[in-house]
Amino acid sequence: MAAMAKAILLALLKVLMIVIFAGWIALWILKPTTLWTRKWKGAEDSARHTVFDYYGLNFAVFTFPIIALTIIGVVYLNLVTKEPPRSRPARSAPVGFSNPVVVNSFVGILSSMEILAVFLFLLFLAWTYYARISNDFKKLMPIKSLKLDLWQIKYLRVATRFGLLAEACLALLLLPILRVLPIFQLIGVQFEASVRYHILLGTSMIFFATIHGASTLFIWGVSHHIQDEMWRWQKKGRIYLAGEIALVTGVVIWITSLPQIRRRRFEIFYYTHHLYIVFLIFFLFHAGDRHFYMVFSGIFLFGLDKLLRILQSRPQSCILSARIYLFPSKSIELTLPKDPRLKYTPTSVIYMKIPSISRFQWHPFSITSSSNSDNRTMSIVVKCNEGWTSSLYDVIQAELDSDTGAMNCIPVSIEGPYGPASLDFLRHDSLLLIAGGAGITPFLSIIKEIASLSSRRYRFATRVQLIYVVKKSQDICLLNSVSSQLLNQSSTQFSLNLKVYVTQEESSNATVIGLLNDFSLVRTVNFSTKCSNYAVHGLDSSVLMAAMVALSSIKFLVSLIFFNRIFVPTEMKSSASQKMVVPSENKASKEKTPSSVVDLLLLASFIIALACNTFVAIILRWKRLKKDVPAASPKQGNKAIELAGSVEASTVDEHEIHFGGRPNFQDILSKFSDETGGSDIGVLVCGPESMKESVASLCQLKSQGLNIGAKGKKPYFFFHSLNFTL
């Protein structure tokens, strides 16, 4: 009965979310029409005679639907079970929606659902632009302050409407990068994958905004008004100077986000990205509060998400131990303490900050452990190349080289873990895991998860094949943490087969077992926990987060109404005396309040809502930490340096190693489908984009019904692209 009630509740929540989202989309579609403009003006006039006024109506109609969708979505994701599957889905699952349809080096890997979403968004942009510009051209009116020719007036209207396209992109820009309030998880998109939508939306927004701003400056220039117009901070309407500052700030953010800068100069990218605060404030002054409500839902949720993440990373935890791989150099496995009640799914990610290295930089790392087998600890692998990671290696190496009797404590701040809401990607009969280089890290947690639950009545894949592509044979050391699953399979209920491809070394007589023994030597150092002994406790309950979002919305609206009633004269205040006032005088009284004051009141209300929420969250967190969160285990204590020995080989070595070439993925998929008897196969790929595209192309052919070598029963390949952080 409980399961049936839960299923009914989930279905109702899903229907409610679909209705809210469809209604919000309908508002955007209707907004450019003349019918909507006429009806909306009447609705605003009616709202002026209520306590909510026009700003309450704008907030309720344009902003609150996405906030309500997030509140319901957080509860929905909490109800969706994260338990491993006890049954497998039917083979007739909608392959086309998840499998790749377009594989291209320029656009990447796109499924049919992604293509449909992009097409509909582009169609919406085209519709919005056409509806606006056609109405403008029907009712062209000269601008009193500018003496423009007809073509100049038309071109200025064209430039203005490009600003609306940038506004539409900004409305969605911040939604993909929410972590604590993961609205994109509702459609099955994880945070690491949704970042690319943030990049695409940001690029589109800057493109449209640049056309908008550059074209406006061009018209001012040819009409000899550029000196008068570009420095104006007018009291009413669009504030041109604010728009120019917002555009310049946005372009700087976009340039420093390019891969050439982000990968080589991460610090520059990280710090300049925080200029988004400047960009949003001046966008508010430029567009005005009415337009700002169109994009405010994403800004509102991002501010709350940021607040909850900051509070969740308090208090600091610590590093329990570090394992330094001797081969290759500068690769470290860190062990962190965690609350035994904290459960996370495989492929989850944490964000870590080490104040002794940088007080502001956060870096993501894939968790390589399983919460089912490791109750009190979790581990990550850090490849220390340069910058922040190199500084981390130097800190740990300095501790190893020190002559003191005890190791120092290294405090860390942790956000997360963030991971998929369910384990659907592990429900297949068989799994083919394909990793390239450091892309092995998400698969370490998957292998440990399957091994820890294979003896129970959970329906995970019983046959797993791991394809690991590395440049040098020494890179195989990253498999050290799953060596027991690889080499002692007699104690497990699933079959795990490993094939290693070493691309930059010639033929050798080495075996997988021999390389694992050669490169399994590590130096383990245990740190003190005296400075900060709290275990990582994870996110707050979903119900609490949903309640905080709802409470913040109420606080914002109440503050906005309060401030407007004090600082902005309204029709409601003067309704009793309107008959005694000449209409022109009444209109003049409204003009006394600059539009920037109204914008500042909106900004102040937002800050007050966040501040009140911060106060409440701090009290709740303090009570929880004082009562529930356990301290880290002090078992490490003093300095200890040990050398790990070699691992024992299994009785039968089924693992393979190949030197001097790249794998032929078509042959691999064909042979694996033959060996599994044509069952449905989950293909999980993590590594360089070229590798993902190559495998995705083969899965695309299979989804189109082309046989690539399977005999007998037709195999079903389900492609899953994973992202790693290291």
Side-chain angles (χ1 to χ4, degrees), residues 449-522:
E449 185 81 5
I450 296 177
S452 65
L453 298 175
S454 59
S455 60
R456 310 179 193 179
R457 290 191 294 178
Y458 294 117
R459 298 300 302 273
F460 275 158
T462 56
R463 185 179 182 88
V464 180
Q465 184 172 104
L466 174 60
I467 308 298
Y468 189 25
V469 185
V470 295
K471 293 180 179 179
K472 302 290 184 180
S473 57
Q474 63 187 20
D475 294 334
I476 202 175
C477 72
L478 294 179
L479 294 173
N480 181 271
S481 62
V482 293
S483 59
S484 61
Q485 286 81 18
L486 288 169
L487 303 177
N488 299 296
Q489 296 189 41
S490 59
S491 60
T492 62
Q493 301 297 319
F494 76 104
S495 171
L496 175 60
N497 177 252
L498 170 66
K499 292 183 179 181
V500 179
Y501 291 83
V502 184
T503 61
Q504 295 185 2
E505 290 184 5
E506 296 301 325
S507 180
S508 172
N509 295 324
T511 63
V512 171
I513 294 177
L515 290 177
L516 281 174
N517 282 329
D518 292 340
F519 300 126
S520 65
L521 302 179
V522 296

Side-chain angles (χ1 to χ4, degrees), residues 146 216-217 220 224-235 238-245 248 282 286:
L146 301 175
T216 303
L217 291 174
W220 288 346
H224 307 291
H225 292 91
I226 191 167
Q227 292 293 335
D228 300 329
E229 298 295 327
M230 71 178 300
W231 305 111
R232 287 182 63 190
W233 189 285
Q234 57 270 44
K235 290 185 177 181
R238 304 285 184 267
I239 299 177
Y240 300 143
L241 181 58
E244 294 153 13
I245 295 174
V248 171
F282 282 98
H286 174 65

Side-chain angles (χ1 to χ4, degrees), residues 254 280 300 352 393 427 436 507 530 630 685 701 710:
W254 179 78
L280 293 175
F300 187 86
M352 183 170 69
Y393 179 85
R427 288 186 175 188
S507 180
K530 293 181 179 179
V685 185
L701 294 176

Side-chain angles (χ1 to χ4, degrees), residues 349-407:
V349 172
I350 63 170
Y351 282 73
M352 183 170 69
K353 178 180 72 173
I354 303 181
S356 59
I357 297 177
S358 174
R359 293 176 101 36
F360 303 105
Q361 290 189 35
W362 290 87
H363 291 264
F365 298 97
S366 298
I367 300 177
T368 58
S369 56
S370 168
S371 58
N372 288 297
S373 58
D374 301 310
N375 288 327
R376 293 188 173 274
T377 62
M378 63 181 178
S379 59
I380 60 174
V381 173
V382 183
K383 200 165 185 179
C384 307
N385 295 321
E386 59 183 12
W388 186 91
T389 56
S390 181
S391 300
L392 172 62
Y393 179 85
D394 293 340
V395 168
I396 295 177
Q397 190 64 47
E399 294 293 335
L400 279 172
D401 298 336
S402 65
D403 297 328
T404 58
M407 306 302 288

Side-chain angles (χ1 to χ4, degrees), residues 178-356:
L178 300 178
R179 301 178 198 168
V180 181
L181 307 170
I183 192 171
F184 264 54
Q185 267 198 12
L186 295 173
I187 54 176
V189 180
Q190 303 307 314
F191 173 76
E192 293 76 24
S194 63
V195 168
R196 74 170 176 173
Y197 301 111
H198 172 74
I199 295 173
L200 291 174
L201 287 168
T203 302
S204 302
M205 182 192 72
I206 294 300
F207 173 75
F208 294 135
T210 301
I211 295 178
H212 167 67
S215 299
T216 303
L217 291 174
F218 171 73
I219 293 299
W220 288 346
V222 297
S223 61
H224 307 291
H225 292 91
I226 191 167
Q227 292 293 335
D228 300 329
E229 298 295 327
M230 71 178 300
W231 305 111
R232 287 182 63 190
W233 189 285
Q234 57 270 44
K235 290 185 177 181
K236 303 295 293 184
R238 304 285 184 267
I239 299 177
Y240 300 143
L241 181 58
E244 294 153 13
I245 295 174
L247 177 59
V248 171
T249 305
V251 170
V252 170
I253 294 174
W254 179 78
I255 291 175
T256 55
S257 301
L258 295 174
Q260 296 84 347
I261 298 178
R262 185 178 71 249
R263 294 171 183 169
R264 298 179 183 179
R265 296 289 184 270
F266 180 81
E267 289 79 7
I268 295 177
F269 155 76
Y270 180 82
Y271 292 119
T272 55
H273 227 63
H274 286 78
L275 291 174
Y276 70 85
I277 300 175
V278 177
F279 171 81
L280 293 175
I281 290 175
F282 282 98
F283 173 82
L284 168 61
F285 286 132
H286 174 65
D289 64 328
R290 280 181 170 84
H291 281 271
F292 199 71
Y293 287 117
M294 302 291 295
V295 305
F296 188 52
S297 55
I299 299 170
F300 187 86
L301 292 173
F302 180 78
L304 289 176
D305 188 87
K306 188 78 171 178
L307 165 66
L308 293 172
R309 286 192 280 120
I310 291 174
L311 295 177
Q312 189 248 329
S313 63
R314 303 291 190 274
Q316 291 179 340
S317 185
C318 61
I319 298 176
L320 293 179
S321 63
R323 304 176 70 202
I324 301 180
Y325 294 102
L326 297 183
F327 301 101
S329 61
K330 292 196 172 184
S331 289
I332 302 174
E333 182 180 0
L334 300 180
T335 300
L336 304 168
K338 83 171 185 70
D339 188 332
R341 295 164 295 185
L342 173 60
K343 299 296 180 180
Y344 50 84
T345 50
T347 72
S348 292
V349 172
I350 63 170
Y351 282 73
M352 183 170 69
K353 178 180 72 173
I354 303 181
S356 59

Side-chain angles (χ1 to χ4, degrees), residues 432 434 465 467 499 664-676 681 683 685 694-700 702 708-710 715 717 719:
L432 180 61
I434 302 176
Q465 184 172 104
I467 308 298
K499 292 183 179 181
N664 186 323
F665 292 119
Q666 180 168 335
D667 289 343
I668 290 173
L669 266 66
S670 300
K671 292 179 181 179
F672 191 65
S673 63
D674 290 341
E675 294 170 357
T676 56
I681 301 171
V683 182
V685 185
S694 177
V695 177
S697 298
L698 297 174
C699 291
Q700 179 187 10
K702 181 52 59 179
I708 57 174
F717 289 90
F719 178 82

